[in-house]
Amino acid sequence: MLLYDSPVSGNCYKVRLLFAHLGLPYERRAVDVVDRSDRPELLGGLNPALRIPTLVLDDGRPLAESNAIISYFGEGTSFVPADRYERAQMLQWMFFEQYDHEPAIAVVRFWLGYSGQPERFADRLEERRAAGYRALGAMESHLETGREWLVGDGMTLADVSLYAYTHVADEGGFELERYPAIRAWLERVAAVPGHVPISA
């Protein structure tokens, strides 16, 4: 398998993290997250959205969108609950990650740390950061009830999905000190055997 990847992208990291847990071999091809001028040539025949991660399966079929990729490989493993309702809850958190969490926390992190032009986004920063804190607040409210994991009794794709950008939220100036339940959850995720850091 070939993963079109960036070492700084949390969306790409979700895929690498699950692959590490599952022991799946793959190759990586680095893609620039700032200069996207070669995306049509590189990904045009694989992913109409021209985004990473994009994965090419062993049989040549492409698969895109981080949560779709991890869902494909998570099926039939302990990362997807057997219970129908818990599976729906897992999807609930994965949709939340892409609709509420990632567009705020990942975007602010990119603006400040990787865009090379943080001043361009100064007028939008306060609104995006407020949205990020709302997302973190939702997670904290859920976890502070004594839950160890977002869904059920073990780590699922919901945890993989939300861990990716939550654990680097401080790079966007988000103060995780406010969220003891999230910090404890981050430690649990990182302690699961097979874990790899985003830099791996």
Side-chain angles (χ1 to χ4, degrees), residues 93-104 128:
W93 283 107
M94 293 170 75
F95 294 145
F96 164 84
E97 188 268 341
Q98 284 290 283
Y99 188 78
D100 289 306
H101 185 280
E102 192 266 2
R128 284 292 83 200

